[in-house]
Structures are given as structure tokens and as C-alpha cells.
Amino acid sequence: MANKKKTLQFFVLAQCSVMGLFLFILAMSIFRLDDVRKILSDVATTSIPTLSQATEITREVQHLISLTARLTASENQSSRRIVKAALDDSLNRLRAPIIHDEFSDKYLMTQLSVLVQEIDELNALVTQRIDVEKEVSVEREALFDYLNSIFEGNDEQFVDLQHSKMLVSLILQIAQINQQFQLHELRLLEGNIENSIAQLRATSNNSASSQALVSSLEEAVLDEWGMIDKQANVMRIRGRSRGRGSFVEHLAEEVASNIEYRTASITQATYEHADNANRSVTKQISLSLALSLIVMLICCAIIFYIYKRIILRLIALTNLVENDSEAVKSQEAELINLSLSDALTNIPNRRAFELEIEKSRAMAKRHKWPLTVLMIDVDHFKAYNDHYGHTQGDACLKKVAKGLNKAIARNTDFCARYGGEEFVAIMPNTDQRGAGIKAEEAREIIEQLHIAHAKSNVSDYITVSIGAATFYFDEQNDWQPDTLLNLADNALYQAKNAGRNRCVFIRQP
């Protein structure tokens, strides 16, 4: 009694220890997980939205820089207006309250205000440049149309100029004015044009019309606000717009740098929180592993104790029950019987046939009597299956199996499904004459079942072909079951080749 009491106390103490350690591990895990939850909550509600907004601002600033470059390079007023509208939309998105909640301060707002002002000034410069370029282009086209009319006309007062190489050279020099993008090159071209005009004036005749033409060319090109001065003005405005555009791009890049600095600060703070959480979780894992090891050792001790005190006794009791139980043997016999039956036709299967042929061979050899094997095949069964379907095919095989059992009815005979549409029968102590009678009877019974077969070229109903082989043990004793099976299969092959729905017999020589 005292021993049982100590055993119970030991078991209760061990269980309490396990439960206590388990509760401690659970409490520590919950505490650490709560810290991690708080960090993840902060990251999800603060850091990630802030970083997302920073990414949105940076992307918008990059888009703003791209639009600024497009505005600077605009070649006409329609494209300028389109780009300016896109710039205004981008600036409005940058100044949206949902973004400024986290990132706006006095410095950033000042940057955005200056950026808006500089973009407006850049837009004005681009507008002025496009207008001046258009004016220069119109004047140049008018001048060249006028000169073209002189060359194509038949006015005798310009006949000397029409054939002047100097005039052609002057026109080519004038055509190069709008192609100059450096001021010193423009001034050099201006000097060349002055020389060409002077030479043209000297080589032309003294007609008033020719001199007037030369003077008008000089006035249109070289006078104040002539083509040279207007091109120089275009170059100055273009340079100012490019400079203003570069300044706007630089200012936008400063805004992006400011945002990137703030983003880096938030990222660093998030990383530090995550690192602290990682160290805490690592410590918790180590502690949990150590305590789990202790719990596992205690559980092993309990298991060993239970094994010694209870399991071994249960094993002995089980062995006793198994030795005296006939129910187990009955179940095993039933399982064996199920394994030897065909699930579809409920007659023996091929495995049962292989066992039975060995038994029949031994009996025939001992008693010196003949042994006959029938190989039975349903004619054109594949065509039947294809035409009527597998469900009807299964029903057909069931009827054929039932008919064969009816024909092969002796207690010593054995009929089994060999596989697919093939069946096999063993008839001990049956010679060739008796086998012929039983085989023909089986063939007729199957045909008289009147199972319609529209796809058979043998009959309107299901028929079978049968190959029979008989072995006489009083003549030869040394043989294997495969020998008789091969002979029966060969006879079946001959029956099929002879037109099916018939029996062919082979006697073992």
C-alpha cells in the first residue's frame, strides 16, 4: 500500500512539474510575442505608410523633373500648354494634405513655393522663346519667298542679279542664320554676310531696282532687330530658359534629397526596433528550448515509468487474449477468402486459380487420372464494351460467369475469372471426351443467354471461344502447370482463328 502511495505521489509531482514548466514557457512566449506585436503594429501603422508616402513624393518629384525638361524643350505653344498643365497637376499632388501630414515643414513648403514660382518663370521664358522663334521663322519664310519670286520671274530689272553667284552665296549665308546656336558663330556669320552684301552692291549694275533689292536685304538681315539680332535674341532667351530649367530641376532634386533623408531616418529607426525585437525573440527561443528539453526529459521519465508499470502488463494481457481468440483467426480466413474472389463476378480470381491448379496437379499425379483445363474468351468483347459502355460490359461478364458456373457444376470442378474477358476452368479426372461434352455445353449455355451483341460478326448474341487441353498422368508425370495452360491457350487461339464461337481440343502428347 505504501509503495502504491509513493508511486502516485511521484506521478502527481512529475505531472505538476510538466504543467508548471509548460505554463512558464507559455507566459514568456506571450510576453515576447506581445513586444513583437507592438513593434509590428508600429511598423504597419506608422513606418510603412510614411515610407509609402515618401516613395510617392519621390516618384512625383522625378516626374516633375522629367516634365520640366519637356517644358524647356517645347517647340510650340500647344505642347507647352500640355506640359504646363501636367506640371500644375504634379505640383498639386505634391502639396496635397495627405502627403504633408508626415513630411511637411517650413523648409519643405518654402522649397515647393520657390519651385512653383520658378516653373511659372520658366513657362514665361519658353512662351517668349516660342513666340520669337515663330516671328523669326515667319520673316525668314517671307524673305525667301520674295527672293524665290525674283529668281523665277522674268523681270529684266533684276536680270543681272538672277545670274549673280554672289547673290546665291548671300542667300545660302542668310539660310544659315537660324542654324546658329553659339553667339560668336552668329557674329562671324554676320561679318561674312556684310562682306557679301558689299561685294554684291559693287558687282551689280547701277539700276535703282537692283540697288534697292540689295539695300532691303541689308536692312532685313543686318539692321537693328533684323534677322541677325532676332536670332541672337532667340539664343539669349533659349539660354535663359535652359538655365532656368536646370535650376528648377536642381531645386526639385533638393526636395527629393530632403525626402530621402527623412526616409532614411525612418528606415533606421524601424530597423533598430526590428533588431531589438529579433534579439528578444532569439533569447526567448533559447530559453524555450532549454525548458522544453527539461520537459522532454521529465516526460521520458514518466513514459518509462508507465512502460514498466503498465505497458508491460498490458502486453502480457494482450498476448494472452490473442492466444485464446478464435475470432481473430476467423477474420483472417475471411480476408484470405476475399483476396481469392473476383470483386466483379464473385467467382474465384486468378490468384485462387493458381493455388487450385497446383492442388489439382498434385491430386491428378497421385491418383494417375487425367486433368483438363479450359481457357474461355468472350468473343469481340472490346467491341461490346465500346458500343454498349463499360457498365453494360460489367453486367455481361457477371452473366457469363454465372452461366459458366452452371455448366461446370461438379464439386471437384473449378471455374475462375482469369482476367478481363477471359475465364478458366479446371476439371479433375476428366478425359478429352468428357471435356468436349462439358465445353460444348458451356458454349451453348452462354449463347442461349441471348445477350444482344450488335457489333459481333459471329452471332447476334454474346458467344465464347473455348480452348481445352487434357493431360494424362499415366503416360507422363514430369510437367508444370504452365505447360497445360500454354496448351489450352494455344487451343483457344486456334478456336479464334477458326471463326470463334467454337471449341478446340489439344491432348498432351
Side-chain angles (χ1 to χ4, degrees), residues 133-161:
E133 287 179 346
K134 183 177 180 181
E135 181 182 353
V136 171
S137 176
V138 171
E139 291 182 359
R140 182 175 64 252
E141 293 295 330
L143 176 60
F144 280 103
D145 288 343
Y146 174 66
L147 292 174
N148 186 54
S149 66
I150 293 175
F151 277 98
E152 292 181 353
N154 296 319
D155 196 341
E156 295 181 355
Q157 60 180 339
F158 298 116
V159 67
D160 58 334
L161 293 178

Side-chain angles (χ1 to χ4, degrees), residues 37-298:
R37 181 192 61 78
K38 291 178 180 178
I39 293 173
L40 292 177
S41 176
D42 181 67
V43 170
T45 57
T46 303
S47 300
I48 292 179
T50 302
L51 293 175
S52 176
Q53 290 179 357
T55 302
E56 183 179 352
I57 293 176
T58 302
R59 184 171 58 250
E60 200 63 54
V61 169
Q62 295 299 326
H63 182 57
L64 186 68
I65 293 173
S66 174
L67 290 174
T68 301
R70 289 175 55 189
L71 178 63
T72 303
S74 296
E75 295 295 334
N76 52 66
Q77 295 294 357
S78 60
S79 63
R80 178 196 60 78
R81 285 191 291 270
I82 292 173
V83 175
K84 182 59 170 61
L87 278 169
D88 292 340
D89 291 340
S90 180
L91 288 170
N92 289 333
R93 287 192 293 270
L94 281 174
R95 291 181 292 187
I98 188 173
I99 295 177
H100 294 161
D101 286 345
E102 296 291 341
F103 287 97
S104 63
D105 57 13
K106 184 177 181 180
Y107 178 66
L108 179 60
M109 296 302 295
T110 301
Q111 284 183 315
L112 291 177
S113 298
V114 173
L115 190 60
V116 172
Q117 181 180 354
E118 292 296 328
I119 289 176
D120 290 339
E121 293 182 5
L122 174 62
N123 180 59
L125 282 174
V126 173
T127 302
Q128 183 182 3
R129 173 180 61 78
I130 293 173
D131 290 340
V132 173
E133 287 179 346
K134 183 177 180 181
E135 181 182 353
V136 171
S137 176
V138 171
E139 291 182 359
R140 182 175 64 252
E141 293 295 330
L143 176 60
F144 280 103
D145 288 343
Y146 174 66
L147 292 174
N148 186 54
S149 66
I150 293 175
F151 277 98
E152 292 181 353
N154 296 319
D155 196 341
E156 295 181 355
Q157 60 180 339
F158 298 116
V159 67
D160 58 334
L161 293 178
Q162 291 173 351
H163 301 286
S164 174
K165 294 182 179 180
M166 190 60 65
L167 179 60
V168 174
S169 175
L170 176 61
I171 292 174
L172 292 176
Q173 291 173 346
I174 293 173
Q176 296 176 12
I177 292 176
N178 68 316
Q179 300 176 4
Q180 305 304 311
F181 299 99
Q182 299 293 331
L183 189 58
H184 69 279
E185 294 179 354
L186 182 65
R187 294 308 178 192
L188 180 61
L189 181 61
E190 181 182 13
N192 294 334
I193 292 175
E194 288 177 352
N195 293 333
S196 297
I197 290 176
Q199 292 177 12
L200 182 63
R201 181 177 284 114
T203 56
S204 64
N205 56 25
N206 293 325
S207 64
S209 58
S210 297
Q211 292 296 329
L213 174 61
V214 173
S215 297
S216 63
L217 287 174
E218 182 179 18
E219 179 180 355
V221 176
L222 299 176
D223 280 0
E224 184 178 4
W225 294 111
M227 291 181 65
I228 293 292
D229 283 356
K230 289 183 177 179
Q231 182 64 25
N233 187 39
V234 168
M235 294 168 63
R236 284 192 293 271
I237 296 174
R238 184 176 294 167
R240 289 171 58 195
S241 62
R242 288 177 180 173
R244 184 71 63 179
S246 298
F247 178 75
V248 170
E249 292 177 9
H250 180 71
L251 185 60
E253 289 174 354
E254 285 187 355
V255 173
S257 299
N258 185 16
I259 299 302
E260 289 176 359
Y261 173 77
R262 292 170 177 266
T263 302
S265 300
I266 295 172
T267 303
Q268 181 63 29
T270 303
Y271 172 78
E272 290 176 357
H273 285 305
D275 187 59
N276 292 333
N278 181 58
R279 286 197 294 268
S280 298
V281 171
T282 302
K283 292 179 180 178
Q284 176 61 30
I285 291 174
S286 300
L287 179 61
S288 298
L289 287 175
L291 294 176
S292 298
L293 180 60
I294 296 173
V295 171
M296 185 176 65
L297 292 175
I298 296 175

Side-chain angles (χ1 to χ4, degrees), residues 219-406:
E219 179 180 355
V221 176
L222 299 176
D223 280 0
E224 184 178 4
W225 294 111
M227 291 181 65
I228 293 292
D229 283 356
K230 289 183 177 179
Q231 182 64 25
N233 187 39
V234 168
M235 294 168 63
R236 284 192 293 271
I237 296 174
R238 184 176 294 167
R240 289 171 58 195
S241 62
R242 288 177 180 173
R244 184 71 63 179
S246 298
F247 178 75
V248 170
E249 292 177 9
H250 180 71
L251 185 60
E253 289 174 354
E254 285 187 355
V255 173
S257 299
N258 185 16
I259 299 302
E260 289 176 359
Y261 173 77
R262 292 170 177 266
T263 302
S265 300
I266 295 172
T267 303
Q268 181 63 29
T270 303
Y271 172 78
E272 290 176 357
H273 285 305
D275 187 59
N276 292 333
N278 181 58
R279 286 197 294 268
S280 298
V281 171
T282 302
K283 292 179 180 178
Q284 176 61 30
I285 291 174
S286 300
L287 179 61
S288 298
L289 287 175
L291 294 176
S292 298
L293 180 60
I294 296 173
V295 171
M296 185 176 65
L297 292 175
I298 296 175
C299 289
C300 289
I302 295 173
I303 292 171
F304 180 75
Y305 178 81
I306 293 174
Y307 175 77
K308 294 288 289 184
R309 290 283 184 170
I310 300 174
I311 301 299
L312 290 179
R313 295 180 181 179
L314 289 176
I315 291 174
L317 181 60
T318 301
N319 291 334
L320 181 62
V321 172
E322 288 179 350
N323 291 333
D324 296 335
S325 176
E326 292 295 333
V328 174
K329 294 181 181 180
S330 176
Q331 291 175 357
E332 289 179 351
E334 184 178 357
L335 289 175
I336 293 174
N337 183 55
L338 290 174
S339 69
L340 298 177
S341 297
D342 180 64
L344 177 65
T345 60
N346 292 324
I347 65 174
N349 58 17
R350 182 170 181 169
R351 182 165 179 264
F353 165 78
E354 291 172 350
L355 296 175
E356 185 67 23
I357 191 66
E358 288 288 348
K359 187 193 306 181
S360 298
R361 171 184 173 276
M363 291 292 293
K365 184 175 181 180
R366 181 184 308 155
H367 296 286
K368 303 298 182 181
W369 60 38
L371 179 64
T372 296
V373 172
L374 303 182
M375 293 292 292
I376 306 162
D377 185 81
V378 180
D379 294 329
H380 301 298
F381 184 73
K382 182 179 184 304
Y384 184 91
N385 247 353
D386 293 341
H387 182 68
Y388 295 97
H390 290 283
T391 302
Q392 286 296 108
D394 291 344
C396 174
L397 291 177
K398 291 179 182 179
K399 293 178 182 179
V400 170
K402 186 176 180 180
L404 292 176
N405 266 338
K406 180 179 179 182

